[in-house]
Amino acid sequence: MTPILSLPELTTRATLPTAPAQAAPGFEAALGRTRADTVTLVKPQRTQLSGSEAAEAIGSAWTSVMGEPPSQSTVAVLTAQWAHETDRGRAMLNYNFGGIKGTGPSGLSASYGTKEGSGATEVHVTDAFRAYRTPEEGAKDYVSLLARRFPKAVDAAKAGDPAGFVRALKERGYFTGDETAYRNNVSLLSAQALEQGFDAVSTPGSPTPASFSYEPQPVASMDFRGAQGVPFDPSMARDISVDPAMFYDEIARASLRIAADPSNESRDAQSIL
């Protein structure tokens, strides 16, 4: 056996600084995606507003997002679209101003029936729509979406041009229904709001909204499909003597009236993610 002649001086060994632990590459990004993909699914709940209440929320949201107050004609265009999308406020669900699909900024989403396309190409599907706790939250997300993804529509709204507004929305895939019917209705509602006041474009006697109550249930990440553009087919007008666009508009209005019950799966909410 070899004798041990000496031992190392452990007390004099230099102490090296300990480097902080580093996360693996891509960890933070993956963690962020996981957090963002967490959805709280809430029940569809009717949140009816009057036209003046909707216009006030839209005007405040515009000022917050754009940094300047909107003109009366701008608010009229946006309130007209709100009235079209919600059947004059009767079928507004979870403070969603524009039938916007996906998940709201606070992580809330509600699933219910809608239709895509028009005429012979129309299909009924169940999809996820953004949900909000207050009208202010819903209006701000609506205006923010327009500012981010529909700049030409924003320009048309600034000019008080409802026809140009709808055309710009259709070009970017906001809705899948017939453009003529959508444009005619928004133009009519916008003019009505300017001439008769904002309450004229909503259901008479709309109640003041109560606080939004819900029973949240966290669910896993979901991948809902976005709306696909379905153009209007002019050939459908060959054998009828009425304006097909107005015919489809009347069908849409009837569907929305039936859909005042949030549990009805025929509700018309043709919009994008």
Side-chain angles (χ1 to χ4, degrees):
M1 177 180 296
T2 304
I4 299 175
L5 300 178
S6 62
L7 294 174
E9 286 290 337
L10 298 178
T11 56
T12 60
R13 182 174 295 174
T15 302
L16 298 177
T18 302
Q22 297 294 323
F27 173 78
E28 289 296 335
L31 182 61
R33 285 194 299 271
T34 300
R35 290 169 178 161
D37 289 344
T38 300
V39 178
T40 300
L41 193 64
V42 300
K43 292 181 179 179
Q45 181 170 332
R46 196 182 312 173
T47 49
Q48 188 173 347
L49 297 177
S50 68
S52 58
E53 290 167 337
E56 181 179 0
I58 288 171
S60 297
W62 181 282
T63 301
S64 176
V65 173
M66 304 296 184
E68 59 182 11
S71 66
Q72 192 82 343
S73 60
T74 295
V75 177
V77 170
L78 300 187
T79 304
Q81 193 206 5
W82 162 82
H84 174 80
E85 286 281 353
T86 65
D87 189 27
R88 295 177 175 259
R90 278 188 292 256
M92 186 182 195
L93 300 177
N94 305 82
Y95 296 120
N96 192 324
F97 276 72
I100 307 171
K101 292 180 180 177
T103 305
S106 58
L108 303 182
S109 184
S111 180
Y112 43 87
T114 185
K115 68 177 183 178
E116 302 292 356
S118 61
T121 61
E122 182 180 298
V123 294
H124 292 260
V125 299
T126 298
D127 220 325
F129 292 81
R130 300 186 187 188
Y132 310 92
R133 292 185 173 90
T134 65
E136 293 75 20
E137 182 186 1
K140 186 172 182 180
D141 191 43
Y142 164 63
V143 174
S144 296
L145 176 72
L146 294 177
R148 288 194 313 271
R149 301 186 60 177
F150 302 92
K152 293 172 79 173
V154 168
D155 290 340
K158 288 179 178 179
D161 177 11
F165 176 76
V166 171
R167 182 169 56 251
L169 293 180
K170 182 66 172 180
E171 288 174 355
R172 295 280 292 170
Y174 189 104
F175 63 94
T176 63
D178 175 52
E179 181 180 349
T180 301
Y182 200 115
R183 181 184 65 241
N184 290 346
N185 202 28
V186 171
S187 297
L188 176 65
L189 290 165
S190 179
Q192 190 177 12
L194 289 173
E195 293 170 6
Q196 303 175 32
F198 291 110
D199 280 339
V201 303
S202 62
T203 304
S206 296
T208 300
S211 299
F212 176 35
S213 61
Y214 58 92
E215 296 177 5
Q217 178 182 358
V219 297
S221 172
M222 295 178 288
D223 182 18
F224 293 96
R225 66 175 182 81
Q228 302 298 317
V230 183
F232 170 64
D233 182 5
S235 67
M236 297 184 63
R238 289 178 303 190
D239 301 323
I240 56 177
S241 58
V242 298
D243 181 353
M246 297 303 295
F247 177 71
Y248 296 145
D249 186 41
E250 288 301 316
I251 293 177
R253 288 167 181 260
S255 298
L256 285 171
R257 285 192 292 272
I258 295 171
D261 178 0
S263 65
N264 191 309
E265 292 196 354
S266 65
R267 182 174 183 272
D268 177 14
Q270 304 171 2
S271 300
I272 63 160
L273 286 171

Short mmCIF file of all heavy atoms in Angstrom, two decimals, residues 10 25 54 66 73 86 99 101 125 156 181 204 226 234 246 253:
data_model
loop_
_atom_site.label_atom_id
_atom_site.label_comp_id
_atom_site.label_asym_id
_atom_site.label_seq_id
_atom_site.Cartn_x
_atom_site.Cartn_y
_atom_site.Cartn_z
N LEU A 10 -7.63 22.10 1.90
CA LEU A 10 -9.00 22.41 1.51
C LEU A 10 -9.43 23.81 1.95
O LEU A 10 -10.22 24.46 1.30
CB LEU A 10 -9.96 21.38 2.11
CG LEU A 10 -9.73 19.92 1.66
CD1 LEU A 10 -10.71 19.00 2.38
CD2 LEU A 10 -9.87 19.79 0.15
N PRO A 25 -32.72 27.13 -24.25
CA PRO A 25 -33.14 28.00 -25.36
C PRO A 25 -34.60 27.72 -25.75
O PRO A 25 -35.00 26.58 -25.91
CB PRO A 25 -32.18 27.60 -26.50
CG PRO A 25 -30.98 27.04 -25.80
CD PRO A 25 -31.50 26.35 -24.58
N ALA A 54 -74.12 51.64 -26.77
CA ALA A 54 -73.11 51.08 -27.67
C ALA A 54 -72.26 52.19 -28.27
O ALA A 54 -71.03 52.08 -28.35
CB ALA A 54 -73.78 50.27 -28.77
N MET A 66 -57.13 55.30 -30.73
CA MET A 66 -56.63 56.18 -31.79
C MET A 66 -55.95 57.45 -31.27
O MET A 66 -55.26 58.13 -32.01
CB MET A 66 -57.77 56.57 -32.73
CG MET A 66 -58.50 55.39 -33.34
SD MET A 66 -57.42 54.41 -34.41
CE MET A 66 -58.62 53.21 -35.04
N SER A 73 -70.04 61.03 -37.41
CA SER A 73 -70.26 60.12 -38.54
C SER A 73 -69.44 58.84 -38.38
O SER A 73 -69.87 57.76 -38.78
CB SER A 73 -69.91 60.81 -39.86
OG SER A 73 -68.56 61.22 -39.89
N THR A 86 -75.49 42.40 -34.28
CA THR A 86 -76.18 41.96 -33.06
C THR A 86 -77.70 42.05 -33.15
O THR A 86 -78.37 41.95 -32.14
CB THR A 86 -75.71 42.80 -31.85
OG1 THR A 86 -76.12 44.17 -32.05
CG2 THR A 86 -74.20 42.74 -31.67
N GLY A 99 -69.11 40.41 -33.46
CA GLY A 99 -69.10 38.99 -33.80
C GLY A 99 -67.69 38.46 -34.01
O GLY A 99 -67.43 37.65 -34.89
N LYS A 101 -64.40 36.36 -33.55
CA LYS A 101 -64.09 35.00 -33.10
C LYS A 101 -62.78 34.95 -32.32
O LYS A 101 -61.95 35.86 -32.40
CB LYS A 101 -64.02 34.07 -34.31
CG LYS A 101 -65.36 33.87 -34.98
CD LYS A 101 -65.25 32.95 -36.18
CE LYS A 101 -66.61 32.76 -36.84
NZ LYS A 101 -66.52 31.93 -38.05
N VAL A 125 -72.30 26.19 -38.37
CA VAL A 125 -71.20 25.62 -37.61
C VAL A 125 -71.27 26.13 -36.18
O VAL A 125 -71.99 27.09 -35.87
CB VAL A 125 -69.82 25.99 -38.22
CG1 VAL A 125 -69.69 25.46 -39.64
CG2 VAL A 125 -69.60 27.50 -38.19
N ALA A 156 -62.16 54.51 -43.95
CA ALA A 156 -63.52 54.73 -44.42
C ALA A 156 -64.43 55.19 -43.28
O ALA A 156 -65.28 56.07 -43.46
CB ALA A 156 -64.07 53.44 -45.04
N ALA A 181 -75.87 42.83 -49.27
CA ALA A 181 -76.83 42.88 -48.17
C ALA A 181 -76.21 43.52 -46.93
O ALA A 181 -76.85 44.34 -46.25
CB ALA A 181 -77.32 41.47 -47.84
N PRO A 204 -86.08 49.02 -29.08
CA PRO A 204 -86.69 49.91 -28.08
C PRO A 204 -86.76 49.25 -26.72
O PRO A 204 -87.01 48.05 -26.60
CB PRO A 204 -88.10 50.16 -28.64
CG PRO A 204 -87.98 49.89 -30.10
CD PRO A 204 -86.96 48.80 -30.23
N GLY A 226 -60.66 29.57 -38.84
CA GLY A 226 -61.09 30.91 -39.20
C GLY A 226 -62.10 30.84 -40.33
O GLY A 226 -62.22 29.84 -41.04
N PRO A 234 -73.72 35.24 -58.54
CA PRO A 234 -74.77 35.96 -59.27
C PRO A 234 -75.69 35.05 -60.06
O PRO A 234 -76.79 35.43 -60.41
CB PRO A 234 -73.97 36.89 -60.21
CG PRO A 234 -72.60 36.95 -59.61
CD PRO A 234 -72.38 35.62 -58.96
N MET A 246 -81.14 41.38 -51.26
CA MET A 246 -82.13 41.75 -50.25
C MET A 246 -82.83 40.51 -49.70
O MET A 246 -83.18 40.45 -48.52
CB MET A 246 -83.16 42.71 -50.87
CG MET A 246 -82.56 44.03 -51.33
SD MET A 246 -81.69 44.90 -49.97
CE MET A 246 -83.06 45.23 -48.89
N ARG A 253 -81.86 38.46 -41.27
CA ARG A 253 -82.57 39.15 -40.20
C ARG A 253 -83.48 38.18 -39.43
O ARG A 253 -83.56 38.22 -38.20
CB ARG A 253 -83.42 40.28 -40.78
CG ARG A 253 -82.62 41.49 -41.28
CD ARG A 253 -83.53 42.39 -42.11
NE ARG A 253 -82.80 43.53 -42.62
CZ ARG A 253 -82.84 44.74 -42.07
NH1 ARG A 253 -83.52 44.94 -40.97
NH2 ARG A 253 -82.15 45.74 -42.58
#
